[in-house]
Amino acid sequence: MSAMRVLLIAEAANPEWTSVPLVGWCQAKAIANSVDTHLVTQVRNREAILRAGYREPQDFTAIDSERVAAGVYRFATFLRGGSDRGWTTVTALESLSYRYFERLVWRQFEARLRAGEFDLVHRLTPLSPSMSSYIVGGLQRLGVPFVLGPLNGGLPWPRGFGARRWQEGEWLSYLRGAHRLLPSHRATRNGAAAILIGSRITWQEMPARHHAKCVYMPENGIDRARIDPAREPLHLPPLRVVFVGRLVPCKGVDMLIDAAAPLVRDGSVVVEIIGDGPLRGDLERQARELHIAAGVTFTGWVEHALLQNRLRGAHAFAFPSIRDFGGAVVLEAMASGLVPVVVDYGGPPESAAGDAGLRVPLGSREEIVAGFRTHFAELAASPQKLAQFAERARARAMLFTWDHKAACLREVYRWVLGQRDKPDFGQPFAPKESVLSAS
């Protein structure tokens, strides 16, 4: 174990939740196996972290910022008009409570940082590029390097899907670049010693003057123990297609159902939809009207710990989302040996890069439907092609294990501390290459 001591700030880090909190927890835990760390998180995560075996205050500190966070959450819930809408509004409002959270972090740890107890500070979450850090100036004055990221977000809404944008309550996304005008935004990037970039779009939106301090590293990862290299082959027909996610407009599940419909009717494809959301009733009605209800199963939510077993029962993973920053579930499916079929926009195609997956060009709704249908038909007709894609998908997933990423992060820390040259884990504009290859 390295002698360096790292203060990890992950406001969202929870082993029992999904999405960003699970990313924060998994990466923090893996880093702790590589270097000496202390985790700082929000109090809502305390009980789950204690159940995971961490000790307080030896291993982590829970910051109680509920005085502000609870009120902001209630106000955001009111404004967004539902629990699955208005994520841009939520992020904008949460910047207020996050500022208070970091203020409390600084109040609690300033003396220990001043005393040299930590060699550097790494903020793992929030992931949003719009979330500034308010302790970076203080760290600069103390001479403590600050590592920021991974940052991922800011993906523009694609043209032609304005109706879905409004259905999602994303009216504030028209002003998505306004945060760049804030002095705190510029100060955060100017003061960071290293910035981890989670996607090509985020790299493109980072000013060129900061590129020398940027390292490309997608935020999503998988647990090596969840990879099953010896899965029993599933026979064709039918081709078993699965989707996992929220049933909301941007996920495009209606396009998946339309794409699969004629193949379901002729018995060559069956579909399982895992997840729930406000569109479930509409999607079930769509399947009935297309006379394919017998071949389309709506399972509802499946506990994350049980999801891998569900995925192993499928051949292909369909993800027709038109706006997804990361798409962690795509990696989960690839690790299970499923062939990913995704829209070529945002984070999912970076996971399913090269010959590890099938990508449908971002076009009109009709073009996306036709693209998915073509890929389903080809896979259903070719067991050999299916097996080859599945093997390549599983192999690529191995590049994204949390332990592998933690080893890469250790090299970033060494670079920041002047112990080595800048590491290069792959170029964001060449996703077919390993983005996490050994340096």
Side-chain angles (χ1 to χ4, degrees):
M1 178 174 289
S2 171
M4 72 178 73
R5 173 82 162 157
V6 179
L7 183 65
L8 289 176
I9 299 176
E11 189 265 354
N14 194 304
E16 298 176 2
W17 294 352
T18 57
S19 191
V20 175
L22 186 61
V23 168
W25 166 255
C26 289
Q27 191 64 89
K29 183 181 177 184
I31 296 171
N33 292 329
S34 182
V35 300
D36 190 8
T37 68
H38 186 85
L39 173 64
V40 186
T41 190
Q42 211 270 353
V43 71
R44 72 178 75 93
N45 305 309
R46 171 188 278 150
E47 296 305 317
I49 292 176
L50 288 171
R51 285 191 290 270
Y54 268 42
R55 302 164 301 165
E56 187 181 17
Q58 295 94 327
D59 303 322
F60 79 104
T61 298
I63 300 293
D64 188 352
S65 58
E66 286 298 288
R67 175 182 173 185
V68 173
V72 167
Y73 177 78
R74 288 194 295 270
F75 186 52
T77 302
F78 169 75
L79 280 185
R80 68 197 298 200
S83 60
D84 281 306
R85 304 177 74 251
W87 290 101
T88 304
T89 301
V90 172
T91 300
L93 289 173
E94 283 182 345
S95 65
L96 303 175
S97 59
Y98 184 73
R99 181 169 189 156
Y100 180 60
F101 170 80
E102 273 205 359
R103 176 183 170 189
L104 296 181
V105 171
W106 184 252
R107 182 183 299 172
Q108 187 152 342
F109 283 89
E110 179 185 8
R112 295 171 66 178
L113 289 161
R114 189 180 299 277
E117 186 173 335
F118 299 97
D119 297 295
L120 62 88
V121 174
H122 179 185
R123 193 191 88 176
L124 278 169
T125 66
L127 304 178
S128 172
S130 67
M131 288 284 198
S132 298
S133 178
Y134 305 95
I135 65 173
V136 64
L139 292 172
Q140 281 186 294
R141 289 190 292 273
L142 296 180
V144 178
F146 178 65
V147 177
L148 176 65
L151 300 181
N152 193 12
L155 187 67
W157 273 86
R159 294 179 180 178
F161 291 94
R164 294 179 192 247
R165 186 178 192 171
W166 282 96
Q167 287 173 332
E168 293 273 6
E170 285 294 320
W171 56 270
L172 195 61
S173 65
Y174 289 99
L175 303 175
R176 69 183 185 86
H179 66 275
R180 301 192 193 104
L181 303 176
L182 299 174
S184 59
H185 176 82
R186 295 190 295 272
T188 298
R189 281 144 184 76
N190 290 337
I195 304 174
L196 305 176
I197 304 294
S199 68
R200 283 176 289 172
I201 185 66
T202 305
W203 185 285
Q204 292 164 3
E205 295 200 349
M206 183 65 64
R209 65 181 179 275
H210 295 316
H211 283 183
K213 65 172 71 175
C214 292
V215 177
Y216 178 68
M217 186 178 293
E219 83 273 15
N220 293 315
I222 55 173
D223 185 347
R224 184 182 293 271
R226 296 172 70 85
I227 298 176
D228 182 6
R231 185 175 77 144
E232 289 294 322
L234 300 173
H235 300 290
L236 294 171
L239 177 77
R240 300 182 181 277
V241 176
V242 65
F243 165 88
V244 179
R246 295 179 299 119
L247 304 185
V248 293
C250 73
K251 297 297 183 180
V253 181
D254 61 299
M255 294 189 288
L256 164 60
I257 293 174
D258 272 357
L263 304 172
V264 172
R265 282 194 290 266
D266 71 20
S268 60
V269 169
V270 294
V271 177
E272 180 178 15
I273 296 171
I274 299 176
D276 213 333
L279 293 186
R280 179 167 177 172
D282 292 340
L283 296 170
E284 290 176 333
R285 188 179 310 110
Q286 179 186 0
R288 289 194 300 270
E289 291 174 351
L290 290 171
H291 307 290
I292 58 171
V296 180
T297 302
F298 289 84
T299 303
W301 286 118
V302 171
E303 224 178 298
H304 186 258
L306 304 176
L307 180 60
Q308 209 72 11
N309 285 332
R310 301 291 304 205
L311 292 175
R312 290 190 183 106
H315 298 102
F317 182 79
F319 202 64
S321 177
I322 57 165
R323 187 173 182 264
D324 224 280
F325 305 126
V329 71
V330 177
L331 277 179
E332 291 264 356
M334 292 167 63
S336 296
L338 275 66
V339 180
V341 186
V342 303
V343 173
D344 196 4
Y345 187 63
E350 294 184 48
S351 297
D355 56 4
L358 296 168
R359 295 170 298 282
V360 175
L362 177 65
S364 66
R365 184 187 188 281
E366 292 73 20
E367 290 168 333
I368 292 174
V369 167
F372 272 85
R373 183 176 297 158
T374 296
H375 287 314
F376 293 159
E378 290 175 349
L379 292 175
S382 178
Q384 183 178 5
K385 180 181 290 188
L386 181 66
Q388 290 171 346
F389 269 111
E391 186 56 37
R392 292 193 291 260
R394 188 185 293 108
R396 179 161 174 79
M398 289 292 292
L399 302 173
F400 292 84
T401 64
W402 293 114
D403 289 340
H404 190 184
K405 294 180 68 177
C408 293
L409 282 171
R410 186 180 62 237
E411 297 309 305
V412 172
Y413 298 160
R414 290 183 59 220
W415 166 52
V416 165
L417 295 173
Q419 299 174 6
R420 60 157 292 165
D421 294 334
K422 181 182 178 181
D424 180 8
F425 306 124
Q427 296 301 319
F429 305 111
K432 69 180 180 179
E433 304 296 333
S434 166
V435 296
L436 291 172
S437 57
S439 174

